Amino acid sequence: MRENFTFRLSAAYRFVFALIMSLLIAVTPYWVGMATDEMMFAILAGVVALGLTIVLAVVMNDMPCSFEAGENEVTFKVLWFRRVIRYEDITDIEVTQEYSDPFYTRERPYYREDIVFKTKTGDISYWRKMDIELYDTVSDPSSLQKQLEDGAFVKLKKYILARKA
């Protein structure tokens, strides 16, 4: 079983990232200029730091993620990081779905699906935006329930529990 999804860091992490990268953009040209005594290298270093910040900000906004469940383990990939969770280490799995109306960020409302793996070493959690078109569900409220039951993490939980049994 394999599924791709997007993951967004919380506003607190994004704020800290913006603060650190702003300081890096401001200080990098100074460091390079002092080390090389060349203004051109200092300007180039500032442009590279700014470009890197823009690329990372776009990637952090909606990070491409995926999971792949096999017979004995599930592997989550977030950017280039991989985390393998063995089924035998899982003591419990919780899946929750909630409506989110992020008014302050001017995003469209969405449903959020969370999965928490309770393991022997601690909790591991992931969340994703669900691909539910809210305006279409107004005419048929039962379709919303069907779409919530067909969430990727709900399917993953069923898949893992079937393998553990």
Side-chain angles (χ1 to χ4, degrees):
M1 174 178 193
R2 180 168 170 59
E3 183 83 27
N4 295 323
F5 63 99
T6 58
F7 176 76
R8 178 172 289 183
L9 291 176
S10 69
Y13 285 121
R14 288 185 285 172
F15 175 75
V16 169
F17 169 78
L19 183 66
I20 291 171
M21 292 311 284
S22 297
L23 290 172
L24 184 66
I25 290 170
V27 175
T28 300
Y30 175 75
W31 285 337
V32 171
M34 293 298 286
T36 62
D37 276 341
E38 285 290 326
M39 187 58 127
M40 192 59 161
F41 287 129
I43 292 171
L44 182 62
V47 169
V48 168
L50 177 64
L52 180 65
T53 301
I54 291 170
V55 168
L56 287 174
V58 168
V59 169
M60 283 179 59
N61 199 24
D62 285 318
M63 287 190 280
C65 305
S66 67
F67 67 81
E68 186 169 348
E71 290 298 317
N72 300 318
E73 62 192 22
V74 61
T75 303
F76 280 87
K77 295 177 187 173
V78 180
L79 291 178
W80 54 85
F81 299 105
R82 295 180 61 201
R83 175 171 240 163
V84 177
I85 306 169
R86 296 170 42 110
Y87 298 158
E88 63 190 37
D89 296 336
I90 298 172
T91 57
D92 191 25
I93 303 172
E94 293 178 9
V95 177
T96 58
Q97 298 163 334
E98 64 183 37
Y99 177 75
S100 181
D101 189 5
F103 176 75
Y104 59 92
T105 60
R106 296 185 181 185
E107 283 186 86
R108 292 180 64 191
Y110 60 90
Y111 273 87
R112 171 184 167 144
E113 186 175 35
D114 297 85
I115 189 164
V116 178
F117 296 98
K118 307 233 183 238
T119 65
K120 298 171 185 174
T121 58
D123 293 353
I124 303 168
S125 64
Y126 293 94
W127 73 272
R128 72 180 194 97
K129 275 185 174 180
M130 296 185 74
D131 299 325
I132 295 176
E133 189 57 51
L134 298 175
Y135 299 111
D136 293 342
T137 61
V138 172
S139 61
D140 185 16
S142 64
S143 70
L144 175 64
Q145 186 62 32
K146 290 176 191 171
Q147 291 180 44
L148 290 174
E149 291 171 357
D150 286 340
F153 290 159
V154 171
K155 290 179 184 177
L156 177 62
K157 178 182 177 180
K158 291 177 184 176
Y159 184 86
I160 292 173
L161 292 178
R163 299 295 181 272
K164 282 186 66 141

